[in-house]
Amino acid sequence: MGKPLDVKNIENKAEQAIEKKLNKMLTIFQENNIDPIAIGDIARSKTRNFNRKHWEEVYPHIPIDLAVDIEMIQTGIAE
């Protein structure tokens, strides 16, 4: 387990699994037109003349890209 190749392999698999679940979760949010992670608030803070009604119309259709980066800092049992 302590070999760098093993750790990197676990990191990659964990990144893929988490990214897949997060993308599925974001799709569900958009399908139900809910924004529990406040993407709309981020857009509002960066957009002059932000229109909440327009946001609610386009939110289900905007592409959301995410990247997961996992770095294992410790392996094994610590005493």
Side-chain angles (χ1 to χ4, degrees):
M1 174 69 188
K3 293 185 259 179
L5 186 59
D6 292 341
V7 172
K8 190 63 180 164
N9 189 23
I10 291 170
E11 288 174 349
N12 288 337
K13 287 185 179 190
E15 287 172 358
Q16 291 171 1
I18 292 171
E19 192 170 315
K20 182 179 178 182
K21 288 183 185 229
L22 287 174
N23 277 320
K24 185 175 181 181
M25 185 176 65
L26 286 171
T27 300
I28 292 169
F29 291 163
Q30 287 182 293
E31 287 172 350
N32 292 297
N33 204 16
I34 58 174
D35 188 16
I37 54 178
I39 298 171
D41 289 341
I42 295 168
R44 180 180 49 82
S45 71
K46 296 179 185 266
T47 306
R48 188 173 291 209
N49 300 323
F50 181 81
N51 183 325
R52 175 67 64 185
K53 185 166 176 66
H54 177 69
W55 170 255
E56 291 172 359
E57 292 171 5
V58 299
Y59 171 66
H61 309 289
I62 59 172
I64 300 174
D65 295 323
L66 65 102
V68 177
D69 184 25
I70 295 177
E71 180 182 350
M72 292 180 65
I73 57 173
Q74 184 175 358
T75 61
I77 299 173
E79 292 186 34

